[in-house]
Amino acid sequence: MDKILIKGGKPLLGSVEISGAKNAALPALAATLLTGDAVVLQNVPCVRDIQTTGQVLRDLGCDTDFRTLALTHSCRVSAQNVTSCEAPYELVKTMRASVLVLGPLLARFGKARVSLPGGCAIGARPIDLHIKAFEKLGAEIAIEHGYVEARAPRLKGAEIFFDRITVTGTENLMMAAALAEGHTVLNNAAREPEVADLADLLRAMGAQISGEGSSVIRIQGVERLHGAQHTIIPDRIETGTFLAAGAITGGEVEIRACRPDHLCAVIEKLEETGVVIERPSPSILKVSAPHGIKARNVTTVEHPGFATDMQAQYMALMTQGEGTSIVTETIFENRFMHASEMVRMGASIKIEGNRAIVFGKTQLTGAKVIASDLRASASLVLAGLVAQGDTLIDRVYHLDRGYEGIEEKLKALGADIHRSQ
Ligand code: EPZ
């Protein structure tokens, strides 16, 4: 099982290019099921979750071409000959985002059998809101043997109210409503940039959608959708992670091919802590922390608020902040797994329910640590970059799910980091 070894204490200096957003590419790949025509996606990150989704699509009978993904970051999918409408447990358990095939399969073929994703390290993560909304569109749904069995001769548009904001729930329903008969309104919809990116792709395929980016999305169903070519937006969480990396190491990093407007709350919060962030161009950020880091509280909320996917990375930074900060997590019920690993590196963190109280500044020392989920593993990399001595991070397959070549990118910035068995 791969491990990453980091010798900490080196300020990061230089320039890094941001990859495409995993959480935009995943729904985009699911959307290819909505048409028999070929769909070409560009700026797709070459990460494990994308490869897994390719396998899910092939198992459904799609013709896919991912051969040049690592080189060109583009891939093609043609769902002309779908032979199955089932996403099996063996694949869904490795990547819960596979539930995103539910909406497209139901809308185009009138049926879908998808394994319930089960929980993960950060929480129970049910999909009850997805299911309730599909039923509003007229689907008959049974939950048996750990699977969602859904049927609908033809989905019918409806007014839907999400009891709580759900990103993939919004995406699943946008895709289903695109081929439903009549008009659908999604109220209390997620406003994430990845939702807006999916709407752009669906419109390019012929869907009639408006309101994305707001909490009310309107979709007028159409008879069929056609192929398209679409470029995935940059990854705002990778961008935030490199902002934190430049700041925590006291370096100076230029971050290219990013979308600063997709992470305003993260940028604003980092600037509150004393991090200096310049915007030399609309797609470039420059980060440094010449005056050190001040402790500042943060609360994660749905977009456009401070992203839960940046909480762990921010906590790592706050271990180097002068003073006491409170990190409050409101999205997931168990997203502090990284805290205990940081404490083993010398951090002083006290967990009280959904709040983590971080007492800084503490000198971190390298240690053997274990990654528990994608963003926790990123936070342990950040801690290792600033710790004195060697940090060995185990179970880095979590990292490979969502960060393309992170150790190469960090090595190019001067980090002493490499992968080991
Ligand atoms: C998406 O997950 C992201 N994944 C997550 O990123 C991200 O952390 C999350 O949104 C929140 O921003 C992808 O886009 C592939 P939710 P999702 O449905 O859609 C509860 C990463 O690190 N809920 O918005 O699964 C749920 O338990 C990953 O890249 C229900 O109760 O998250 C959670 O507490 C981690 N019932 C809250 O809502 C439902 O039916 C938000 O979940 C659905 C969700």
Side-chain angles (χ1 to χ4, degrees), residues 180-253:
E181 187 180 343
H183 193 67
T184 296
V185 182
L186 302 182
N187 296 286
N188 201 22
R191 300 173 55 190
E192 272 69 3
E194 293 77 25
V195 172
D197 201 38
L198 176 63
D200 286 341
L201 167 60
L202 291 172
R203 258 193 303 270
M205 294 169 69
Q208 293 179 24
I209 292 185
S210 62
E212 72 280 359
S214 80
S215 53
V216 180
I217 299 175
R218 298 175 188 285
I219 303 114
Q220 180 63 38
V222 294
E223 281 299 315
R224 66 180 297 279
L225 294 174
H226 52 71
Q229 182 167 314
H230 176 72
T231 299
I232 298 293
I233 55 172
D235 193 315
R236 61 192 168 98
I237 304 302
E238 185 190 20
T239 304
T241 304
F242 276 100
L243 285 172
I248 202 170
T249 59
E252 190 165 310
V253 177

Coordinates of all heavy atoms in Angstrom, one line a residue, residues 180-253:
A180 N -37.2 14.6 -18.5 CA -38.6 14.3 -18.0 C -39.6 15.1 -18.8 O -39.2 16.1 -19.5 CB -38.7 14.8 -16.5
E181 N -40.8 14.7 -18.7 CA -41.9 15.4 -19.5 C -42.4 16.6 -18.7 O -42.8 16.4 -17.5 CB -43.1 14.4 -19.7 CG -44.1 14.9 -20.6 CD -45.2 13.8 -20.8 OE1 -45.0 12.7 -20.4 OE2 -46.4 14.2 -21.2
G182 N -42.2 17.8 -19.2 CA -42.7 19.0 -18.5 C -41.6 19.7 -17.7 O -40.4 19.5 -17.9
H183 N -42.1 20.5 -16.8 CA -41.2 21.5 -16.1 C -40.9 21.0 -14.7 O -41.8 20.6 -14.0 CB -42.0 22.9 -16.1 CG -41.1 24.0 -15.7 ND1 -40.1 24.5 -16.5 CD2 -41.1 24.8 -14.6 CE1 -39.5 25.5 -15.9 NE2 -40.1 25.7 -14.7
T184 N -39.6 21.2 -14.4 CA -39.2 20.8 -13.0 C -38.6 22.0 -12.4 O -37.8 22.8 -13.0 CB -38.2 19.7 -13.0 OG1 -38.9 18.5 -13.5 CG2 -37.7 19.4 -11.6
V185 N -38.9 22.3 -11.1 CA -38.2 23.3 -10.3 C -37.5 22.7 -9.1 O -38.2 21.9 -8.4 CB -39.2 24.4 -9.8 CG1 -38.5 25.5 -9.1 CG2 -40.0 25.0 -11.0
L186 N -36.2 22.9 -9.0 CA -35.5 22.4 -7.8 C -35.3 23.6 -6.9 O -34.6 24.5 -7.1 CB -34.1 21.9 -8.2 CG -34.1 20.8 -9.3 CD1 -32.6 20.3 -9.6 CD2 -34.9 19.6 -8.9
N187 N -36.0 23.5 -5.7 CA -35.9 24.5 -4.7 C -34.9 24.1 -3.6 O -34.8 22.9 -3.3 CB -37.2 24.8 -4.0 CG -38.3 25.3 -5.0 OD1 -38.2 26.5 -5.4 ND2 -39.2 24.4 -5.5
N188 N -34.2 25.1 -3.0 CA -33.1 24.8 -2.0 C -32.0 23.9 -2.7 O -31.4 23.1 -2.1 CB -33.7 24.0 -0.8 CG -32.7 24.2 0.4 OD1 -31.9 25.1 0.5 ND2 -32.8 23.2 1.3
A189 N -31.8 24.3 -4.0 CA -30.7 23.5 -4.8 C -29.3 24.0 -4.3 O -29.1 25.1 -3.8 CB -30.9 23.9 -6.2
A190 N -28.4 23.1 -4.5 CA -27.0 23.4 -4.2 C -26.5 24.5 -5.2 O -26.9 24.5 -6.4 CB -26.1 22.2 -4.3
R191 N -25.6 25.4 -4.7 CA -25.1 26.5 -5.6 C -23.7 26.3 -6.0 O -23.0 27.2 -6.5 CB -25.3 27.8 -4.8 CG -26.8 28.0 -4.4 CD -27.0 29.2 -3.5 NE -26.4 30.4 -4.1 CZ -26.2 31.6 -3.4 NH1 -26.6 31.6 -2.1 NH2 -25.7 32.6 -4.0
E192 N -23.1 25.1 -5.7 CA -21.7 24.9 -6.0 C -21.3 25.2 -7.5 O -22.1 24.9 -8.3 CB -21.3 23.5 -5.6 CG -20.8 23.3 -4.2 CD -22.0 23.5 -3.1 OE1 -23.1 23.7 -3.5 OE2 -21.7 23.4 -1.9
P193 N -20.1 25.6 -7.8 CA -19.7 25.8 -9.2 C -19.8 24.5 -10.0 O -20.0 24.6 -11.2 CB -18.2 26.3 -9.0 CG -18.1 26.9 -7.7 CD -19.1 26.1 -6.8
E194 N -19.6 23.4 -9.3 CA -19.7 22.1 -10.0 C -21.1 21.8 -10.6 O -21.3 21.2 -11.6 CB -19.2 20.9 -9.1 CG -17.7 21.0 -8.8 CD -17.4 22.0 -7.7 OE1 -18.3 22.4 -6.9 OE2 -16.3 22.5 -7.7
V195 N -22.1 22.3 -9.8 CA -23.5 22.2 -10.3 C -23.7 23.1 -11.5 O -24.3 22.7 -12.5 CB -24.5 22.7 -9.2 CG1 -25.9 22.8 -9.7 CG2 -24.4 21.7 -8.0
A196 N -23.1 24.3 -11.5 CA -23.2 25.2 -12.6 C -22.5 24.6 -13.8 O -23.0 24.7 -15.0 CB -22.7 26.6 -12.3
D197 N -21.4 24.0 -13.6 CA -20.6 23.4 -14.7 C -21.4 22.3 -15.4 O -21.5 22.1 -16.6 CB -19.3 22.8 -14.2 CG -18.3 22.7 -15.3 OD1 -18.2 23.6 -16.2 OD2 -17.5 21.7 -15.3
L198 N -22.1 21.5 -14.5 CA -23.0 20.4 -15.1 C -24.1 21.0 -15.9 O -24.4 20.6 -17.0 CB -23.6 19.6 -14.0 CG -24.6 18.5 -14.4 CD1 -23.9 17.4 -15.3 CD2 -25.2 17.8 -13.2
A199 N -24.7 22.1 -15.5 CA -25.7 22.8 -16.2 C -25.2 23.3 -17.6 O -25.9 23.1 -18.6 CB -26.3 24.0 -15.4
D200 N -24.0 23.8 -17.6 CA -23.4 24.2 -18.9 C -23.3 23.0 -19.9 O -23.6 23.1 -21.0 CB -22.0 24.8 -18.7 CG -22.0 26.2 -18.0 OD1 -23.1 26.8 -18.1 OD2 -21.0 26.6 -17.4
L201 N -22.8 21.9 -19.3 CA -22.7 20.7 -20.2 C -24.1 20.2 -20.7 O -24.3 20.0 -21.9 CB -22.0 19.5 -19.4 CG -22.1 18.1 -20.1 CD1 -21.5 18.1 -21.5 CD2 -21.6 17.1 -19.2
L202 N -25.1 20.2 -19.8 CA -26.4 19.7 -20.2 C -27.0 20.6 -21.2 O -27.6 20.2 -22.2 CB -27.3 19.6 -18.9 CG -27.0 18.5 -17.9 CD1 -27.8 18.6 -16.7 CD2 -27.1 17.1 -18.6
R203 N -26.8 22.0 -21.1 CA -27.3 22.9 -22.1 C -26.6 22.6 -23.4 O -27.2 22.6 -24.5 CB -27.1 24.3 -21.6 CG -28.3 25.0 -21.1 CD -28.1 26.5 -21.0 NE -26.9 26.8 -20.1 CZ -27.0 27.0 -18.8 NH1 -28.2 26.9 -18.2 NH2 -25.9 27.2 -18.1
A204 N -25.3 22.4 -23.4 CA -24.6 22.1 -24.6 C -25.1 20.8 -25.3 O -25.0 20.6 -26.5 CB -23.1 21.9 -24.3
M205 N -25.7 19.9 -24.5 CA -26.3 18.7 -25.0 C -27.8 18.9 -25.4 O -28.4 18.0 -25.9 CB -26.3 17.6 -23.9 CG -24.8 17.2 -23.5 SD -24.8 16.1 -22.1 CE -25.6 14.6 -22.7
G206 N -28.3 20.1 -25.3 CA -29.6 20.4 -25.7 C -30.7 20.6 -24.6 O -31.8 20.8 -24.9
A207 N -30.2 20.5 -23.4 CA -31.2 20.7 -22.2 C -31.6 22.1 -22.1 O -30.9 23.0 -22.5 CB -30.5 20.1 -21.0
Q208 N -32.8 22.3 -21.5 CA -33.2 23.6 -21.2 C -33.2 23.8 -19.7 O -34.1 23.3 -19.0 CB -34.7 23.8 -21.8 CG -34.7 23.8 -23.3 CD -36.1 23.9 -23.9 OE1 -37.0 24.5 -23.2 NE2 -36.3 23.3 -25.0
I209 N -32.2 24.6 -19.2 CA -31.9 24.7 -17.8 C -31.6 26.2 -17.5 O -30.9 26.8 -18.3 CB -30.7 23.9 -17.3 CG1 -31.1 22.4 -17.4 CG2 -30.3 24.2 -15.9 CD1 -30.0 21.5 -16.9
S210 N -32.2 26.7 -16.4 CA -31.8 28.1 -15.9 C -31.7 28.1 -14.4 O -32.3 27.2 -13.7 CB -32.8 29.1 -16.5 OG -34.1 28.8 -15.9
G211 N -31.0 29.1 -13.9 CA -31.0 29.3 -12.4 C -29.9 28.7 -11.7 O -29.7 28.8 -10.5
E212 N -29.1 27.9 -12.4 CA -28.0 27.2 -11.7 C -27.1 28.2 -11.1 O -26.9 29.3 -11.6 CB -27.2 26.3 -12.7 CG -26.3 27.0 -13.7 CD -27.1 27.5 -14.9 OE1 -28.3 27.3 -15.0 OE2 -26.4 28.2 -15.7
G213 N -26.5 27.9 -9.9 CA -25.7 28.9 -9.1 C -26.6 29.6 -8.1 O -26.1 30.2 -7.2
S214 N -27.9 29.5 -8.3 CA -28.9 30.1 -7.3 C -29.5 28.9 -6.6 O -29.3 27.7 -7.0 CB -29.9 30.9 -8.0 OG -30.9 30.1 -8.6
S215 N -30.4 29.2 -5.7 CA -31.0 28.0 -5.0 C -32.3 27.6 -5.6 O -33.0 26.7 -5.1 CB -31.3 28.4 -3.5 OG -32.0 29.6 -3.5
V216 N -32.6 28.2 -6.8 CA -33.8 27.7 -7.6 C -33.4 27.4 -9.0 O -33.0 28.3 -9.7 CB -35.0 28.7 -7.6 CG1 -36.2 28.2 -8.4 CG2 -35.4 29.1 -6.1
I217 N -33.4 26.1 -9.4 CA -33.0 25.7 -10.7 C -34.3 25.3 -11.5 O -35.0 24.4 -10.9 CB -32.0 24.6 -10.7 CG1 -30.7 25.1 -9.9 CG2 -31.6 24.1 -12.1 CD1 -29.6 24.1 -9.7
R218 N -34.4 25.8 -12.7 CA -35.6 25.4 -13.5 C -35.2 24.6 -14.7 O -34.2 25.0 -15.4 CB -36.4 26.7 -14.0 CG -36.9 27.5 -12.8 CD -37.5 28.8 -13.3 NE -37.8 29.6 -12.1 CZ -38.9 29.4 -11.3 NH1 -39.7 28.3 -11.5 NH2 -39.1 30.1 -10.2
I219 N -35.9 23.5 -14.9 CA -35.5 22.6 -16.1 C -36.8 22.3 -16.9 O -37.8 21.8 -16.3 CB -34.9 21.3 -15.6 CG1 -33.7 21.5 -14.7 CG2 -34.5 20.4 -16.7 CD1 -33.9 21.1 -13.2
Q220 N -36.7 22.6 -18.2 CA -37.9 22.2 -19.1 C -37.4 20.9 -19.8 O -36.4 20.9 -20.5 CB -38.1 23.3 -20.1 CG -39.3 23.0 -21.0 CD -40.6 22.8 -20.3 OE1 -40.9 23.6 -19.3 NE2 -41.4 21.9 -20.7
G221 N -38.1 19.8 -19.5 CA -37.7 18.5 -20.1 C -37.7 18.6 -21.7 O -38.6 19.3 -22.2
V222 N -36.9 17.8 -22.3 CA -36.9 17.7 -23.8 C -36.9 16.2 -24.1 O -36.7 15.4 -23.3 CB -35.6 18.3 -24.4 CG1 -35.6 19.8 -24.2 CG2 -34.3 17.7 -23.8
E223 N -37.2 15.9 -25.4 CA -37.4 14.5 -25.8 C -36.1 13.8 -25.8 O -36.0 12.6 -25.4 CB -38.0 14.5 -27.3 CG -39.5 14.7 -27.3 CD -40.2 13.7 -26.6 OE1 -39.9 12.5 -26.7 OE2 -41.1 14.0 -25.7
R224 N -35.0 14.4 -26.3 CA -33.7 13.7 -26.3 C -32.6 14.8 -26.2 O -32.8 15.9 -26.5 CB -33.6 12.9 -27.6 CG -33.5 13.7 -28.9 CD -33.3 12.7 -30.1 NE -32.1 12.0 -30.0 CZ -30.9 12.5 -30.4 NH1 -30.8 13.8 -30.8 NH2 -29.8 11.8 -30.3
L225 N -31.4 14.3 -25.9 CA -30.2 15.1 -25.8 C -29.2 14.6 -26.8 O -29.3 13.4 -27.2 CB -29.7 15.1 -24.4 CG -30.6 15.7 -23.3 CD1 -30.0 15.5 -21.9 CD2 -30.8 17.2 -23.6
H226 N -28.3 15.5 -27.2 CA -27.3 15.1 -28.2 C -25.9 15.2 -27.7 O -25.7 15.7 -26.5 CB -27.5 15.9 -29.5 CG -27.5 17.4 -29.2 ND1 -26.4 18.2 -28.8 CD2 -28.5 18.3 -29.2 CE1 -26.7 19.4 -28.7 NE2 -28.0 19.6 -28.9
G227 N -25.0 14.8 -28.4 CA -23.6 14.8 -28.0 C -23.1 16.3 -27.8 O -23.7 17.2 -28.3
A228 N -21.9 16.4 -27.2 CA -21.3 17.7 -27.0 C -19.9 17.6 -26.6 O -19.4 16.5 -26.3 CB -22.1 18.4 -25.8
Q229 N -19.2 18.7 -26.6 CA -17.8 18.8 -26.1 C -17.8 19.8 -25.0 O -18.4 20.8 -25.1 CB -16.9 19.2 -27.2 CG -15.4 19.3 -26.8 CD -14.5 19.4 -28.1 OE1 -14.7 18.6 -29.0 NE2 -13.5 20.3 -28.0
H230 N -17.1 19.5 -23.9 CA -17.2 20.4 -22.7 C -15.9 20.4 -22.0 O -15.2 19.3 -21.8 CB -18.3 19.9 -21.8 CG -18.4 20.7 -20.5 ND1 -18.9 22.0 -20.5 CD2 -18.1 20.4 -19.2 CE1 -18.9 22.5 -19.2 NE2 -18.4 21.5 -18.5
T231 N -15.5 21.6 -21.5 CA -14.2 21.7 -20.7 C -14.6 21.8 -19.2 O -15.3 22.8 -18.9 CB -13.4 22.9 -21.2 OG1 -13.0 22.6 -22.6 CG2 -12.1 23.0 -20.4
I232 N -14.1 20.9 -18.4 CA -14.4 20.9 -17.0 C -13.7 22.1 -16.3 O -12.6 22.5 -16.6 CB -13.9 19.6 -16.4 CG1 -14.6 18.4 -17.0 CG2 -14.0 19.6 -14.8 CD1 -16.1 18.3 -16.7
I233 N -14.4 22.7 -15.3 CA -13.8 23.8 -14.6 C -12.6 23.4 -13.7 O -12.5 22.2 -13.4 CB -14.9 24.5 -13.6 CG1 -15.5 23.4 -12.7 CG2 -15.9 25.2 -14.4 CD1 -16.4 24.0 -11.6
P234 N -11.7 24.3 -13.4 CA -10.6 24.0 -12.5 C -11.1 23.6 -11.1 O -12.2 23.9 -10.7 CB -9.8 25.3 -12.4 CG -10.3 26.1 -13.6 CD -11.7 25.7 -13.8
D235 N -10.2 22.9 -10.4 CA -10.6 22.3 -9.1 C -10.4 23.4 -8.0 O -9.2 23.7 -7.6 CB -9.8 21.1 -8.8 CG -10.3 20.3 -7.6 OD1 -10.6 21.0 -6.6 OD2 -10.5 19.1 -7.7
R236 N -11.5 23.9 -7.4 CA -11.4 25.0 -6.4 C -10.8 24.5 -5.1 O -10.2 25.2 -4.4 CB -12.7 25.6 -6.2 CG -13.8 24.7 -5.7 CD -15.2 25.3 -5.7 NE -16.2 24.3 -5.5 CZ -16.8 24.1 -4.3 NH1 -16.5 24.8 -3.3 NH2 -17.7 23.1 -4.2
I237 N -11.0 23.2 -4.8 CA -10.4 22.6 -3.6 C -8.9 22.4 -3.7 O -8.2 22.6 -2.8 CB -11.2 21.3 -3.2 CG1 -12.7 21.6 -3.1 CG2 -10.6 20.8 -1.8 CD1 -13.1 22.7 -2.1
E238 N -8.5 21.9 -4.9 CA -7.1 21.8 -5.1 C -6.4 23.2 -5.0 O -5.3 23.3 -4.4 CB -6.7 21.1 -6.5 CG -5.2 20.9 -6.7 CD -4.8 20.5 -8.1 OE1 -5.6 20.7 -9.0 OE2 -3.7 19.9 -8.2
T239 N -7.1 24.2 -5.6 CA -6.6 25.5 -5.5 C -6.4 26.0 -4.1 O -5.4 26.5 -3.6 CB -7.6 26.5 -6.2 OG1 -7.8 26.1 -7.6 CG2 -7.0 27.9 -6.2
G240 N -7.5 25.8 -3.3 CA -7.4 26.1 -1.8 C -6.4 25.3 -1.1 O -5.7 25.9 -0.2
T241 N -6.1 24.1 -1.5 CA -5.1 23.3 -0.8 C -3.7 23.8 -1.1 O -2.9 23.9 -0.2 CB -5.2 21.8 -1.3 OG1 -6.6 21.3 -1.1 CG2 -4.2 20.9 -0.6
F242 N -3.5 24.3 -2.3 CA -2.2 24.9 -2.6 C -2.0 26.3 -2.0 O -0.9 26.7 -1.7 CB -1.9 24.9 -4.2 CG -1.4 23.6 -4.7 CD1 -2.2 22.6 -5.3 CD2 0.0 23.3 -4.5 CE1 -1.7 21.4 -5.7 CE2 0.5 22.0 -4.9 CZ -0.3 21.1 -5.5
L243 N -3.1 27.0 -1.9 CA -3.0 28.3 -1.1 C -2.6 28.0 0.3 O -1.6 28.6 0.8 CB -4.4 29.0 -1.1 CG -4.9 29.7 -2.4 CD1 -6.3 30.1 -2.2 CD2 -4.0 30.8 -2.8
A244 N -3.1 27.0 0.9 CA -2.8 26.6 2.3 C -1.3 26.1 2.3 O -0.6 26.4 3.3 CB -3.7 25.6 2.8
A245 N -0.9 25.4 1.3 CA 0.5 24.8 1.3 C 1.5 26.0 1.2 O 2.5 26.0 1.9 CB 0.6 23.9 0.1
G246 N 1.2 27.0 0.3 CA 2.2 28.1 0.2 C 2.2 28.9 1.5 O 3.3 29.2 2.0
A247 N 1.1 29.0 2.2 CA 1.0 29.8 3.4 C 1.7 29.1 4.6 O 2.5 29.6 5.3 CB -0.5 30.1 3.7
I248 N 1.3 27.8 4.7 CA 1.8 27.0 5.9 C 3.3 26.9 5.9 O 4.0 26.8 7.0 CB 1.1 25.7 6.1 CG1 1.1 25.2 7.5 CG2 1.7 24.6 5.1 CD1 0.3 24.0 7.8
T249 N 3.9 26.9 4.7 CA 5.4 26.7 4.6 C 6.1 28.0 4.6 O 7.3 28.0 4.5 CB 5.8 25.9 3.3 OG1 5.3 26.6 2.2 CG2 5.1 24.5 3.3
G250 N 5.3 29.1 4.6 CA 6.0 30.4 4.5 C 6.7 30.7 3.2 O 7.7 31.4 3.2
G251 N 6.2 30.1 2.2 CA 6.8 30.2 0.8 C 6.1 31.3 0.0 O 5.5 32.2 0.5
E252 N 6.3 31.1 -1.3 CA 5.6 32.0 -2.3 C 5.3 31.2 -3.5 O 6.2 30.7 -4.2 CB 6.6 33.2 -2.6 CG 5.9 34.3 -3.4 CD 6.7 35.6 -3.5 OE1 7.1 36.1 -2.4 OE2 6.9 36.1 -4.6
V253 N 4.0 31.0 -3.7 CA 3.5 30.1 -4.8 C 2.6 30.8 -5.7 O 1.6 31.5 -5.3 CB 2.8 28.8 -4.2 CG1 2.3 27.9 -5.3 CG2 3.8 28.1 -3.2

